[in-house]
């Protein structure tokens, strides 16, 4: 068979996270049957993203401008700096609309197993950024995983001399969560940090 | 935020079957971090597919040529015609390497619920094709669903006057399947069609 164009598309789609060979075939048929409404626009959107999306030199966010929209937004609180592992975490926090400061994307966590040390991460620019002053509080919003917590400890050590407040996200019961399904660590953290009902 | 290019890409990707908003965001970040190796090639492959993939006028397969490679392959048995619901079924049979005849893609099944009658499907071209002669056996390889079986019955009625042999796929235990997990219908069909061990 010389279905090279189709096979090639299936093969590339199957590399996406969450798509295997079978779902890539399904997606390909879906795309070809929606040529004008989806296949062509998607091709164009991918080309535009490949050409225009940049990594923000200040925070590590992805945007079509550098510095990114968040870094350029003077209405945001420039004294609050939130450290996240990945751009996806930054997007999650932005969707929550709960944070109006600036971000710094590490690009991962320290990991002895994977051989990722401080030099592999966006850490030195962070130290410089905090060293330049103007930041009152650094929020360590890393994942509550072993690697995330290791990285949090490392960063709070490194940042301890700058006289900024260093905080982390609260542990506790997720909103809408059922106690029965929570692990012991979360439950004991939620119990320890219990709040008086005012 | 003016992350329009990124948001637009996420929005389009989330329309693919098997991808929701969350996995579309993940796929977008994955693509942007693999700009040269995946994002640009995928954009190019999609454009090529949009421009070059055709529906075969003879069998309904998708290919970059019309008639498709299968229809043009004179080494295939031109007297065997396999009827399938969709191109994905044709591809599945081709992957099995078990069939060396020609295909006819219906484009769906009859469905009273969805208001799909014979005129909505690729049925009249099939009747003409069989009527032109040269076909000795028609294999109804439709899905073993209610709609698939209804369509099979309808087609075997319509094709009964042409003097061709009409067959369907065997029902039975899937190879590698465990009896304990099979439904009663499959088990009783497998029992009824039991074969002598030679």
């Amino acid at each position: 068979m010389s279905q090279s164009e189709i096979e090639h598309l299936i093969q590339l789609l199957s590399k996406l996270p969450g798509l295997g060979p079978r779902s890539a075939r399904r997606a390909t048929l879906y795309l070809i049957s929606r040529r004008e409404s989806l296949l062509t626009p998607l091709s164009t959107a991918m080309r535009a993203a490949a050409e225009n999306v940049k990594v923000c030199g200040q925070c590590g966010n992805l945007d079509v401008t550098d510095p990114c929209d968040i870094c350029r937004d003077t209405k945001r609180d420039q004294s609050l700096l939130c450290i996240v592992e990945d751009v996806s975490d930054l997007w999650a926090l932005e969707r929550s609309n709960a944070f109006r400061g600036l971000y710094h994307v590490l690009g991962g966590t320290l990991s002895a197993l994977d051989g990722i040390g401080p030099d592999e991460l966006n850490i030195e620019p962070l130290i410089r950024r905090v060293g330049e002053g103007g930041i009152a509080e650094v929020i360590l919003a890393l994942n509550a995983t072993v690697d995330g917590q290791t990285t949090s400890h490392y960063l709070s050590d490194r940042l301890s001399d700058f006289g900024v407040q260093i905080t982390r996200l609260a542990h506790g019961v997720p909103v809408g969560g059922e106690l029965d399904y929570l692990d012991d660590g979360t439950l004991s953290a939620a119990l320890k940090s219990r709040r008086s009902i005012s």
Side-chain angles (χ1 to χ4, degrees), chain A residues 77-82 99-103 134-137 139:
Chain A
D77 187 343
Q78 313 284 319
S79 72
L80 261 180
L81 187 64
C82 182
F99 182 67
R100 294 296 298 166
L102 302 181
Y103 292 95
I135 292 166
E137 179 180 352
I139 304 167

Side-chain angles (χ1 to χ4, degrees), chain A residues 112-140:
Chain A
L113 265 180
D114 299 332
I116 297 175
D119 294 342
E120 272 74 47
L121 300 176
N122 195 15
I123 288 182
E124 287 315 314
L126 167 67
I127 306 293
R128 277 200 303 276
R129 197 172 168 189
V130 176
E132 284 165 7
I135 292 166
E137 179 180 352
V138 170
I139 304 167
L140 297 169

Side-chain angles (χ1 to χ4, degrees), chain A residues 65-138:
Chain A
T65 57
D66 177 16
C68 72
D69 257 30
I70 295 174
C71 285
R72 285 186 296 128
D73 185 349
T74 51
K75 288 202 292 279
R76 298 185 76 112
D77 187 343
Q78 313 284 319
S79 72
L80 261 180
L81 187 64
C82 182
I83 320 282
V84 291
E85 287 179 23
D86 285 309
V87 174
S88 54
D89 303 322
L90 186 160
W91 290 356
L93 283 164
E94 280 299 289
R95 281 198 303 280
S96 78
N97 267 321
F99 182 67
R100 294 296 298 166
L102 302 181
Y103 292 95
H104 193 91
V105 180
L106 289 181
T109 52
L110 299 173
S111 167
L113 265 180
D114 299 332
I116 297 175
D119 294 342
E120 272 74 47
L121 300 176
N122 195 15
I123 288 182
E124 287 315 314
L126 167 67
I127 306 293
R128 277 200 303 276
R129 197 172 168 189
V130 176
E132 284 165 7
I135 292 166
E137 179 180 352
V138 170

